[in-house]
């Protein structure tokens, strides 16, 4: 199964290339914005905090025994969120979607209530 192994090796190389690019970008922002400058520093933006967590999680896989830790794999999925920070229109759409989640939660709860009512009625009618 050399083909599968070579594909895995190639994907791992690309993963580290992207990790290096993200690290260089994070360090450049550290230098440009300052790290802990109040109201204007790197950590004053929530998007930068997400970027920082993703980059640090990428390096946690270097620690022995952490490579197969599923929480770090889940954080890798957040990498595409970094592009949201670069595109203002996409950033607005994601922010709007996240703000609408509370309204969607209310709708979900009402639907679950209705499903339960109809399930009880269905059980009573066809039992």
């Amino acid at each position: 199964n050399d083909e599968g192994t070579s594909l895995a090796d190639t994907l791992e190389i690309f993963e580290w290339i992207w990790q290096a690019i993200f690290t260089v970008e994070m360090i450049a922002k550290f230098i440009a914005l300052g790290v802990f400058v109040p109201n204007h520093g790197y950590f004053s933006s929530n998007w930068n905090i997400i970027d920082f967590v993703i980059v640090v999680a990428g390096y946690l896989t270097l620690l022995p025994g952490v490579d197969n830790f599923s929480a770090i794999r889940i954080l890798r999925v957040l990498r595409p969120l970094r592009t949201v920070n670069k595109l203002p229109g996409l950033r607005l759409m994601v922010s709007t979607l996240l703000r609408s989640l509370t309204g969607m939660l209310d709708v979900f709860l009402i639907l679950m209530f209705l499903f339960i009512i109809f399930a009880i009625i269905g059980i009573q009618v066809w039992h």
Side-chain angles (χ1 to χ4, degrees):
N1 197 0
D2 280 344
E3 187 174 313
T5 306
S6 65
L7 177 63
D9 292 341
T10 304
L11 289 175
E12 187 172 342
I13 289 169
F14 277 117
E15 180 179 339
W16 286 110
I17 289 172
W18 282 111
Q19 183 71 24
I21 291 170
F22 292 153
T23 302
V24 168
E25 178 196 16
M26 184 180 72
I27 291 171
K29 281 186 174 182
F30 277 168
I31 293 169
L33 299 174
V35 179
F36 294 108
V37 177
N39 298 327
H40 298 294
Y42 182 82
F43 290 109
S44 64
S45 168
N46 290 333
W47 292 104
N48 287 340
I49 292 171
I50 291 173
D51 288 348
F52 178 78
V53 168
I54 293 169
V55 169
V56 169
Y59 283 111
L60 287 178
T61 60
L62 290 175
L63 298 174
V66 181
D67 189 37
N68 291 326
F69 192 56
S70 62
I72 293 176
R73 286 185 176 178
I74 291 171
L75 287 174
R76 288 180 187 174
V77 174
L78 296 176
R79 283 183 179 168
L81 278 179
R82 295 178 55 87
T83 59
V84 171
N85 198 18
K86 311 295 182 263
L87 303 170
L90 189 59
R91 186 178 192 175
L92 177 65
M93 285 175 41
V94 169
S95 298
T96 304
L97 179 66
L98 291 176
R99 274 188 250 128
S100 69
L101 285 177
T102 56
M104 286 193 277
L105 178 64
D106 294 339
V107 171
F108 175 76
L109 291 174
I110 291 171
L111 282 174
M112 286 296 104
F113 179 72
L114 288 173
F115 284 145
I116 290 171
I117 289 175
F118 282 111
I120 292 171
I121 292 171
I123 288 173
Q124 292 301 319
V125 169
W126 286 286
H127 181 58

